[in-house]
Amino acid sequence: MKILIVEDNKELAEWLGKALRQAQYAVDIAVDGEDAELMLKVATYSLVILDLALPKIDGMTLLKRLRQSGEKVPVIILTANASLDGRVAGLDGGADDYLAKPFEIAELEARIRAVVRRGQDRAAPEIIVGDLTFAGATRQFFVAGEPLALTPREHAVLEHLVMKVGTTVSKAALSESIFGFDDEADPSAIEIYVHRLRKKLEGSSAQIATLRGLGYLLRYAP
């Protein structure tokens, strides 16, 4: 799952980016509203974490432009303004949630999971493919009830596939979902991660199939 952090405090942005990467998210960072607007036009994100006091284009203006363009990406506002009027303005402007600074990273992660689940319109927090289970509340994978040990990038690939279960996902879409603008992505990286995932899923009834020229498909294979 790929997140865009829009925060002009570089120290805070880097700390937040590091924490979310450790939580197995792919992260891009924009330090002003103008860069964020450009990045949102050329990349697809699962979530935007948005500060309001931004240079060039302020957060509220950026949010309004997003919604006016029809962009439905979930947005969590982070701001030092915790007033009722500020929260109401942000939510009325199209934000999905609002978190005042300072905050605990655990609370932000919980809000991220809740907002993304709502955006996916999934009634159940679990996704089951054969004996593979994805627990949406914790973002953990289990095979036959046992935790599946994955590296952050393996986790990102499998999470993207499970969110699109039954649908073919192109290599380009997988690459975009796990690599940020600053990452140097090897063209063969996705093939390597899929190969590793297949090894870890050996014996499972969940299978990653390759559809030549199209991409990858996670499916139940009894």
Side-chain angles (χ1 to χ4, degrees):
M1 198 163 70
K2 195 171 184 179
I3 294 175
L4 176 63
I5 298 170
V6 191
E7 170 61 65
D8 66 325
N9 182 323
K10 292 184 180 180
E11 185 176 346
L12 173 59
E14 290 298 332
W15 171 79
L16 186 54
K18 181 179 180 181
L20 292 178
R21 289 185 186 104
Q22 289 176 341
Q24 301 181 327
Y25 295 100
V27 176
D28 279 331
I29 296 173
V31 295
D32 63 61
E34 194 172 273
D35 281 352
E37 189 170 47
L38 177 60
M39 293 165 78
L40 283 159
K41 288 178 180 177
V42 300
T44 301
Y45 295 97
S46 301
L47 181 84
V48 176
I49 296 174
L50 179 66
D51 185 31
L52 293 184
L54 296 170
K56 298 186 179 180
I57 301 174
D58 67 84
M60 281 302 300
T61 299
L62 177 61
L63 178 59
K64 289 177 181 177
R65 288 183 182 180
L66 271 178
R67 296 310 185 223
Q68 287 169 357
S69 71
E71 176 60 69
K72 296 180 180 180
V73 60
V75 175
I76 296 177
I77 288 176
L78 293 184
T79 181
N81 179 7
S83 70
L84 176 61
D85 288 345
R87 294 198 302 273
V88 170
L91 295 170
D92 283 348
D96 297 85
D97 205 347
Y98 196 106
L99 191 59
K101 302 174 185 177
F103 57 89
E104 296 291 335
I105 190 67
E107 181 181 4
L108 176 60
E109 287 184 38
R111 288 173 181 260
I112 288 171
R113 292 191 295 268
V115 166
V116 170
R117 283 201 303 272
R118 291 202 301 269
Q120 291 160 347
D121 196 27
R122 292 187 181 273
E126 288 189 341
I127 302 173
I128 298 173
V129 184
D131 59 2
L132 175 69
T133 300
F134 176 69
T138 60
R139 297 179 61 231
Q140 289 182 294
F141 285 97
F142 299 88
V143 173
E146 295 296 321
L148 182 63
L150 300 170
T151 67
R153 288 278 165 79
E154 291 167 357
H155 188 284
V157 170
L158 189 56
E159 183 173 15
H160 192 86
L161 289 171
V162 82
M163 290 296 183
K164 302 285 186 180
V165 62
T167 302
T168 303
V169 181
S170 70
K171 188 184 295 184
L174 279 175
S175 182
E176 183 181 318
S177 74
I178 68 171
F179 293 115
F181 279 105
D182 296 331
D183 293 326
E184 294 184 8
D186 187 311
S188 64
I190 296 300
E191 295 175 13
I192 293 170
Y193 295 133
V194 169
H195 174 74
R196 291 177 182 172
L197 285 169
R198 283 174 173 152
K199 295 289 287 183
K200 291 185 177 183
L201 289 172
E202 281 183 354
S204 166
S205 57
Q207 179 190 73
I208 301 174
T210 299
L211 302 180
R212 294 193 179 278
L214 297 175
Y216 301 99
L217 173 69
L218 180 66
R219 65 187 181 188
Y220 171 52

